[in-house]
Amino acid sequence: MDEEYNFSWVGYIVGSIIVGVILLGLFGFNEYEGENAEYWFNACDAETARVGELETKVGEYENSLDEANSHIEDANYQIRKAKSNAGASYSDMEYALDSLHQIDTVSEP
């Protein structure tokens, strides 16, 4: 009886392996046919270069954002300064308005 029990487990394992190989053959066993290590190295190298380009672009956008925020802070300072002279003399108000200037826009990188 023990021999029959061991034989059924061996048959089950061998059958599972056979079914697995058949399924691999049907569903993509040759999916990467013709693609060797050089192909994958080149593909990885190309993607690494693309990531580098995107990181550079992100850095450019961050710099542009920082520049735009700096311009906004400058404009807000000028506005606060001009508002503080709202009740002052005419010459103080004229000076505050004359000190205002347009803020440059930041171009897209």
Side-chain angles (χ1 to χ4, degrees), residues 28-72:
F29 189 65
N30 296 325
E31 183 176 351
Y32 300 109
E33 186 176 322
E35 297 173 355
N36 57 19
E38 182 180 2
Y39 169 83
W40 290 109
F41 176 80
N42 291 335
C44 180
D45 197 34
E47 291 304 313
T48 301
R50 177 76 176 134
V51 167
E53 292 172 8
L54 292 173
E55 286 174 343
T56 300
K57 196 71 162 170
V58 167
E60 291 172 357
Y61 276 105
E62 286 174 343
N63 290 338
S64 293
L65 179 61
D66 289 342
E67 185 179 349
N69 284 335
S70 176
H71 290 187
I72 291 168

